[in-house]
Amino acid sequence: MEQKNLSSVETQAIYLRLGQYNDIFSDFDIRPYSVRALSVDFLDEIKRASNDMREDGVEMIFHVKERNEQIEETIKERLAAHFERHYKLLLKEKHKVVGLGLVMVLLGVVSMIAATLILFGNPTKDMLTSFLIVFLEPAAWFLLWEGMDQVIFNSKKINPELNFYRKMSRSHKHIHFRDTDITSIDEAYI
């Protein structure tokens, strides 16, 4: 038999051996597979395994001893729904953080312009204009820098999770189940 190019298979496929289908799901959730919560351990293992993979469709191959194709179809749909839902939620969260940051920067710039216009006149004429200068200058700097922090740094904190769920949401057609009646996984790909 001819051996497949394992380097390309290994870089884009995640191989997991499952004792049973329940290994994918939370032990505490007793709902049916179609709505059941995924196991944190399972998600952590998938994250770790997919870290260095490209985003063009990660293939997940689950080796199971006793297979049931009907259950497998339900699990595939559940995994796809989970990854897609969390990807959309994280994308929405990132847009919200960036939007908030941009609004803060804009308000900071507007506060600076207002302070400049007040200073252009003589702010010592009355107490209200002096108060506005004292209020607007620190507010302008705070809004500007805090807004830039939101846009530049806080939005990037979401990226690792967002990238993981983007990667996994694109792999929904690449989820496969195989029998574990083989002596080793390496022999299955020769």
Side-chain angles (χ1 to χ4, degrees), residues 175-189:
I175 300 171
H176 308 288
F177 289 86
R178 296 196 178 141
D179 292 322
T180 58
D181 292 339
I182 53 173
T183 56
S184 80
I185 297 297
D186 293 336
E187 292 176 15
Y189 299 99

Side-chain angles (χ1 to χ4, degrees), residues 81-107:
H82 173 85
F83 293 135
E84 186 67 27
R85 178 176 181 268
H86 283 273
Y87 170 66
K88 287 178 179 176
L89 287 172
L90 286 167
L91 192 60
K92 186 177 179 180
E93 183 180 339
K94 182 170 181 166
H95 287 145
K96 186 177 176 181
V97 168
V98 170
L100 174 66
L102 291 175
V103 167
M104 291 175 78
V105 168
L106 181 64
L107 288 174

Side-chain angles (χ1 to χ4, degrees), residues 76-159:
K76 287 178 187 182
E77 290 171 13
R78 175 67 185 114
L79 289 173
H82 173 85
F83 293 135
E84 186 67 27
R85 178 176 181 268
H86 283 273
Y87 170 66
K88 287 178 179 176
L89 287 172
L90 286 167
L91 192 60
K92 186 177 179 180
E93 183 180 339
K94 182 170 181 166
H95 287 145
K96 186 177 176 181
V97 168
V98 170
L100 174 66
L102 291 175
V103 167
M104 291 175 78
V105 168
L106 181 64
L107 288 174
V109 170
V110 168
S111 297
M112 286 180 178
I113 292 170
T116 303
L117 291 174
I118 292 171
L119 275 174
F120 188 68
N122 189 357
T124 58
K125 287 183 180 176
D126 63 37
M127 193 170 183
L128 179 63
T129 55
S130 294
F131 171 76
L132 286 174
I133 293 298
V134 170
F135 178 76
L136 286 174
E137 284 182 343
W141 286 110
F142 171 78
L143 288 168
L144 182 72
W145 291 112
E146 191 61 30
M148 290 173 78
D149 182 56
Q150 290 286 328
V151 171
I152 296 169
F153 298 110
N154 289 348
S155 70
K156 285 187 179 180
K157 289 178 184 176
I158 299 169
N159 282 348

Side-chain angles (χ1 to χ4, degrees), residues 7-26:
S7 63
S8 66
V9 172
E10 289 174 351
T11 57
Q12 283 303 112
I14 299 171
Y15 300 94
L16 293 177
R17 186 178 304 211
L18 305 173
Q20 56 186 345
Y21 295 119
N22 283 336
D23 293 345
I24 296 173
F25 299 98
S26 171

Side-chain angles (χ1 to χ4, degrees), residues 25-42:
F25 299 98
S26 171
D27 293 336
F28 301 104
D29 193 347
I30 59 170
R31 295 177 294 172
Y33 288 144
S34 59
V35 291
R36 197 167 174 189
L38 298 181
S39 164
V40 173
D41 291 338
F42 170 75

Side-chain angles (χ1 to χ4, degrees), residues 59-75:
E59 188 172 11
M60 288 186 283
I61 301 169
F62 302 113
H63 291 268
V64 184
K65 202 170 203 174
E66 296 177 20
R67 293 185 56 202
N68 180 325
E69 289 184 22
Q70 184 179 1
I71 291 175
E72 289 173 4
E73 284 305 312
T74 302
I75 291 172

